[in-house]
Amino acid sequence: MKVKEQLLTLSPYKPGKPIEEVKRQYNLDKVVKLASNENPYGCSAQVKAAIHAEIENMALYPDGYAGELREAVAKHVGVKQEQLIFGNGSDEVIQIICRALLSEETNTVMATPTFPQYRHNAVIEGAEIREVPLRNGDHDLNGMLQAIDEQTTIVWVCSPNNPTGTYVKREELIAFMKKVPKTTLIVMDEAYYEYAASEKDFPDTVSFLNEYENLMILRTFSKAYGLASLRIGYGIANESLLQKIEPAREPFNTSRMAQKAALVALQDQAFIASCKKQNEDGLKQYYAFCKKNNLSYYPSYTNFILIDFGRQGDEVFQFLLERGFIVRSGNALGFPTSVRITIGTKEQNDEMISLLQQYVGEVKNKSLV
Ligand SMILES: *Cc1c(COP(=O)(O)O)cnc(C)c1O
C-alpha cells in the first residue's frame, strides 16, 4: 500500500495514559488529569437533562445544518447565521480549512510552538509549512508577515496561544491584518476566548469581519463550556468565504447530542462566568507559587499555565504522575524545561502546588549534594 509520502513523517496523536492505567501502575486510589485543559467543573448542570431527552432520537441523523444551534450561536456572537460553520470540535474546522485551502502548490504560516493541529493538517495536504518562532511567548507578527508570500493561503494566529497562554493585542492585530494580502486567510483560533475576552486590549475579532473578507475566527465548546467529549466547535467568517469552504465539510459532522448540549450550555452564561472567576483565582495560586520559588511563567489568559522549572519537563511530569497528577510535559510542546498544567479546582490546585513545592525542595537538596 502506498500512502501519501508526507504521512510517513507524522506520528498519530499520542493520548496521555488513561487514568485507570496510572492508578494500577502506581498503586494510587485517586488520579487527577490536568493535562488537556478540560473544565474541572464539568459543564452546565442543564446539559444533562437536555442530553437525556435527546436520547429518544438516536436513530435519526442530526440536522446537518445545525439549524437550532446555528440560530443561538449567531445571536450570541452577533453575526448572521450564514456566517457560521460547525465542526466535530474546532479541530475538524481546522481540518476543513486545510482541505479547502492547502495543496502542494501553497504554503502556510504559523507560530512555533503553537497548537499542533495546524501543522499536522497542513503536512497531510502537502503544503509547505513556514514556522515563525514565538518571541517571549507571543506571536512574532512581523516575522510572520515576512514569511507570507503570494503562495501563502493560510496564516494561523492562536490567541490566546496554546501552550503559552498569551494573546495578540488589539492594535497589533489590526496593524497585522492591514498588511496581510487579501488572498491569505487569517485564522484566529480563539479556543480560550471565554477566559480572555474581558481583557481591555483583547481584540473583538468579530467586529473586524466587515472589513476583512479574509478573516476566520475559531471557537469551541470544549474548554470553558466543558463539552470536550461531545466534539463541537465552530468557525465565524463572511458568508462568501464559508460558501466556498462548505463543500469540504461532511454532511452530518456534528451529532445530535453535541448540538443539543451546546445549545443548552450556551444559555447558561452564569456557569461560564463562575468558571472564569474560579479559574482566575486558580491562576493566582500558581502565580504566587512561581513568585515564591522564582520560577518563570507566562501570564495566562486561559485555563492552563506553562511553568519553567529549569529541569526536563519529563522529570517534573514523572514526579507528578507517580503522585497521582497527570500534566503535560513541555518536552512534547517545544518548551523542554517546562510543564503545562491545567488550572483545576481550588482543592486540586492546592494539592498540585504542594507537590510542586515538594519537587522544588527535593531538586534543591539534590543539587547541594
Ligand atoms: C483545545 C484546542 C482546540 C481544539 O478544540 P476542539 O474544539 O476540542 O477540537 C483548538 N485550538 C486550540 C488552541 C486548543 O487549545
Side-chain angles (χ1 to χ4, degrees):
M1 202 72 71
K2 197 170 180 304
V3 302
K4 290 181 181 177
E5 227 164 75
Q6 61 267 29
L7 283 187
L8 305 175
T9 70
L10 296 173
S11 36
Y13 180 76
K14 261 208 249 88
K17 276 189 198 174
I19 289 179
E20 285 309 317
E21 196 186 317
V22 175
K23 276 188 190 169
R24 232 178 303 127
Q25 194 173 354
Y26 299 102
N27 199 16
L28 299 162
D29 296 330
K30 192 185 74 176
V31 171
V32 179
K33 184 168 161 250
L34 293 170
S36 304
N37 309 333
E38 293 143 332
N39 189 333
Y41 308 103
C43 65
S44 163
Q46 288 151 45
V47 166
K48 220 175 179 176
I51 286 193
H52 208 261
E54 195 58 39
I55 287 176
E56 296 304 321
N57 300 320
M58 285 303 100
L60 306 175
Y61 277 108
D63 171 5
Y65 192 61
E68 221 188 337
L69 176 61
R70 180 178 295 269
E71 193 184 340
V73 170
K75 213 164 150 195
H76 179 74
V77 173
V79 293
K80 286 192 291 184
Q81 293 186 34
E82 296 76 17
Q83 288 183 272
L84 297 171
I85 181 169
F86 290 90
N88 189 32
S90 51
D91 273 352
E92 197 205 18
V93 186
I94 293 168
Q95 185 191 56
I96 294 170
I97 297 169
C98 288
R99 260 189 105 174
L101 277 90
L102 298 180
S103 66
E104 277 162 27
E105 290 75 49
T106 67
N107 71 68
T108 180
V109 172
M110 64 194 71
T112 186
T114 190
F115 190 59
Q117 288 305 306
Y118 319 141
R119 182 178 198 287
H120 189 92
N121 283 288
V123 168
I124 294 173
E125 299 305 331
E128 181 201 334
I129 290 144
R130 298 185 176 176
E131 295 176 296
V132 180
L134 295 175
R135 273 175 51 182
N136 199 21
D138 293 328
H139 279 59
D140 173 9
L141 294 180
N142 286 327
M144 291 171 79
L145 278 173
Q146 278 164 27
I148 292 175
D149 64 19
E150 275 155 33
Q151 277 70 49
T152 308
T153 51
I154 312 176
V155 58
W156 306 88
V157 180
C158 189
S159 175
N161 187 48
N162 182 357
T164 48
T166 55
Y167 64 89
V168 174
K169 297 188 172 51
R170 185 172 188 277
E171 296 311 315
E172 287 165 31
L173 180 65
I174 292 174
F176 173 74
M177 288 193 302
K178 278 187 180 151
K179 290 184 198 141
V180 173
K182 297 296 168 217
T183 47
T184 303
L185 177 65
I186 305 165
V187 178
M188 295 295 301
D189 184 348
E190 297 183 342
Y192 301 94
Y193 172 80
E194 291 77 16
Y195 297 105
S198 62
E199 295 302 314
K200 261 199 254 35
D201 49 6
F202 187 84
D204 174 12
T205 45
V206 170
S207 73
F208 301 145
L209 287 169
N210 281 339
E211 194 172 343
Y212 296 94
E213 282 283 332
N214 58 332
L215 175 63
M216 176 132 169
I217 301 146
L218 304 184
R219 300 212 182 137
T220 180
F221 286 97
S222 296
K223 305 286 157 63
Y225 286 93
L227 299 178
S229 77
L230 289 173
R231 312 303 303 124
I232 188 152
Y234 56 96
I236 316 165
N238 281 292
E239 189 179 346
S240 55
L241 170 69
L242 289 180
Q243 270 175 356
K244 285 183 214 155
I245 291 177
E246 268 284 337
R249 181 181 68 81
E250 275 186 57
F252 301 109
N253 62 330
T254 61
S255 71
R256 276 185 178 277
M257 288 290 189
Q259 291 179 21
K260 190 43 78 80
L263 178 71
V264 171
L266 195 63
Q267 312 309 324
D268 192 354
Q269 287 301 314
F271 174 78
I272 300 297
S274 145
C275 292
K276 177 173 189 284
K277 170 74 180 71
Q278 293 178 86
N279 184 69
E280 274 164 7
D281 293 344
L283 279 168
K284 281 183 200 146
Q285 291 180 261
Y286 283 96
Y287 294 161
F289 162 77
C290 290
K291 280 177 189 145
K292 180 175 157 193
N293 293 284
N294 240 336
L295 298 172
S296 72
Y297 64 92
Y298 294 111
S300 171
Y301 300 90
T302 65
N303 63 342
F304 60 80
I305 184 167
L306 186 72
I307 302 175
D308 188 349
F309 286 87
R311 308 271 302 183
Q312 285 302 303
D314 286 353
E315 181 187 285
V316 188
F317 167 86
Q318 189 59 32
F319 178 91
L320 293 170
L321 187 70
E322 289 168 15
R323 290 158 183 79
F325 281 86
I326 309 174
V327 298
R328 201 69 207 273
S329 166
N331 286 91
L333 300 173
F335 287 93
T337 58
S338 299
V339 292
R340 192 192 68 193
I341 302 169
T342 301
I343 308 305
T345 61
K346 165 101 175 37
E347 192 192 356
Q348 291 169 338
N349 301 335
D350 283 341
E351 280 182 53
M352 171 77 82
I353 287 168
S354 116
L355 286 176
L356 291 173
Q357 194 61 61
Q358 189 188 329
Y359 171 80
V360 169
E362 284 183 19
V363 164
K364 216 187 254 165
N365 288 340
K366 259 188 232 155
S367 59
L368 286 176
V369 177

